Amino acid sequence: MKRVLSGITPSGDFTLGNYLGALRHWVSFQEDHDAFYCVVDLHALTTDIDPVVLRRNSLDAALNLLAVGLDPRRCTIFVQSHVPEHTRLTWLLECTATMGELRRMTQFKEKSHGQETVRAGLFTYPVLMAADILLYRADAVPVGEDQRQHLELARELALRFNNRYGETFTVPEAAVPGAAARVMDLQHPERKMSKSVESPLGTIGLLDPAEAITRKVRKAVTDTDGEVRYDRAAKPGLANLLDLLAGATDRTPQEVAKGYTRYGDLKHDVAEALSELLRPVRERRMALEDDLPYVDTVLAEGAAAAHEVAAPTYAKAADALGLLPLPSLARDED
Ligand code: ATP
Ligand code: LTN
């Protein structure tokens, strides 16, 4: 069975963008892949965090992963910091990556832009992400469009390491969805819908009730020419709505556009389709709400299963680089 791995940052309430761009594909992959899904709490430390909020967000993220339909009997759900090999491999890969290639990362440029001080961790963020992926020898990585460049870097680091030190890592492929791979903010359609950017009317939450979805879609920014056609550059707000309906109904945005002459009708159908799409997630989440002992069990079992795969990969990489094996392990072999 091919293996997939992906991660999500516990940096706030999950959005419709997370769902359409990533999470619902994670659910499909668990059916026919050996799937590993990770709450990347160490990545959350690259911005200003409140420890109390981070703790809550990490549990919330795990609950949401269960609510979208991930089944711990079919996939491994775990927290990044519970598997120490993630940080250990990061160092080995930081000694493989170059400053130049990290400086070219657009997410780094965007997130560091205008900041007085920039955390070193924000700069090396993509290396930690590469370690997440390479530790599990993942064949594919289901992510939204915005993560393509990071995936490219992970591939490049795997290839470089393998060339220099011998075949160690699987070179992963990005699995970016065809529709709704980049959901835009409803009020600012030039920027990505994002869980860490405050935009109450522009962001649809994974757990929003139907009334909230309808209100936000009705108020979504469009344009004044009144013609329904798919043109991302000239009509970004409308194109986003078409993308959303296409994503929710498994069609292309061009096909969707053919069915409408009025913005109001399109908005009505977008709101309905999204409400229907998210309703079961919300219901499952409400049913799970207080079952923290269950979540703890899922995460404990997930960490153990993840460690089983990650530890030998790390050991192989360390050995390839010439690091001595742990003396206790060496003794065991005698
Ligand atoms: P942050 O605001 O903290 O950067 P985010 O909302 O961008 O968070 P991530 O945790 O970085 O979300 O991403 C989790 C997954 O969701 C990734 O695969 C990412 O590509 C995908 N994703 C995030 N936002 C969108 C979006 N607007 N459209 C499509 N996919 C998205
Ligand atoms: N950087 C990713 C989150 C992430 C990830 C990963 C995704 C961290 N590690 C490994 C896929 C595989 C983001 O979406 N911001």
Side-chain angles (χ1 to χ4, degrees):
M1 217 178 343
K2 294 261 186 201
R3 184 172 288 154
V4 296
L5 174 130
S6 199
I8 187 154
T9 324
S11 48
D13 295 336
F14 285 14
T15 71
L16 175 67
N18 297 136
Y19 187 67
L20 288 177
L23 300 179
R24 68 172 177 157
H25 306 287
W26 296 14
V27 176
S28 311
F29 274 113
Q30 73 178 342
E31 299 306 330
D32 49 9
H33 282 70
D34 184 18
F36 288 79
Y37 300 123
C38 178
V39 175
V40 292
D41 54 349
L42 299 173
H43 277 106
L45 303 181
T46 57
T47 55
D48 207 8
I49 53 99
D50 171 341
V52 174
V53 175
L54 178 60
R55 215 167 275 131
R56 179 64 237 176
N57 281 346
S58 295
L59 286 172
D60 223 51
L63 283 163
N64 284 340
L65 293 186
L66 296 168
V68 296
L70 292 180
D71 175 353
R73 288 165 303 185
R74 293 193 169 78
C75 66
T76 300
I77 301 173
F78 67 104
V79 173
Q80 186 186 35
S81 66
H82 289 173
V83 183
E85 282 76 14
H86 289 248
T87 42
R88 298 177 78 189
L89 183 62
T90 298
W91 178 253
L92 307 192
L93 295 177
E94 278 179 11
C95 296
T96 306
T98 67
M99 298 283 284
E101 61 196 350
L102 295 183
R103 236 182 255 120
R104 284 195 288 279
M105 294 292 120
T106 50
Q107 183 178 298
F108 172 71
K109 289 192 230 172
E110 280 165 20
K111 294 209 171 183
S112 60
H113 183 76
Q115 304 288 330
E116 219 167 88
T117 55
V118 174
R119 286 157 211 252
L122 187 65
F123 188 59
T124 57
Y125 174 118
V127 186
L128 176 58
M129 175 164 163
D132 298 341
I133 298 164
L134 301 184
L135 271 180
Y136 296 87
R137 287 168 268 124
D139 300 289
V141 183
V143 282
E145 186 64 50
D146 61 309
Q147 294 302 311
R148 235 186 232 287
Q149 194 187 28
H150 286 162
L151 238 295
E152 215 26 71
L153 178 74
R155 286 170 58 82
E156 176 57 37
L157 295 181
L159 285 167
R160 189 178 306 155
F161 193 102
N162 288 349
N163 282 337
R164 278 189 195 157
Y165 308 111
E167 223 29 63
T168 306
F169 298 121
T170 301
V171 181
E173 300 279 343
V176 178
R182 189 171 173 79
V183 174
M184 309 308 274
D185 186 291
L186 298 179
Q187 289 296 312
H188 302 276
E190 69 292 346
R191 74 174 190 223
K192 188 186 84 139
M193 187 183 284
S194 181
K195 68 172 116 60
S196 62
V197 175
E198 189 70 12
S199 177
L201 269 181
T203 306
I204 292 181
L206 181 72
L207 304 175
D208 274 0
E211 308 79 71
I213 296 176
T214 305
R215 183 163 38 86
K216 292 175 193 179
V217 171
R218 200 179 294 138
K219 293 197 170 150
V221 167
T222 49
D223 52 65
T224 51
D225 88 19
E227 189 192 345
V228 179
R229 71 189 149 82
Y230 186 68
D231 184 340
R232 265 209 176 226
K235 297 162 76 69
L238 191 81
N240 193 33
L241 293 173
L242 291 168
D243 274 329
L244 289 176
L245 191 49
T249 57
D250 276 330
R251 286 178 291 166
T252 66
Q254 290 82 359
E255 266 164 25
V256 171
K258 285 188 196 137
Y260 295 92
T261 51
R262 296 202 322 222
Y263 291 2
D265 296 341
L266 172 66
K267 284 184 165 180
H268 173 271
D269 289 1
V270 170
E272 274 214 339
L274 295 180
S275 302
E276 270 313 293
L277 189 72
L278 296 181
R279 191 171 48 80
V281 177
R282 193 174 134 76
E283 284 171 1
R284 272 194 298 266
R285 177 60 208 259
M286 285 193 302
L288 272 166
E289 192 65 73
D290 290 310
D291 205 350
L292 291 179
Y294 173 58
V295 174
D296 284 345
T297 308
V298 168
L299 295 181
E301 289 175 1
H307 189 251
E308 292 256 311
V309 179
T313 314
Y314 172 77
K316 191 171 180 192
D319 180 55
L321 280 168
L323 301 180
L324 294 176
L326 280 177
S328 61
L329 292 181
R331 268 202 304 277
D332 285 350
E333 278 165 16
D334 291 340

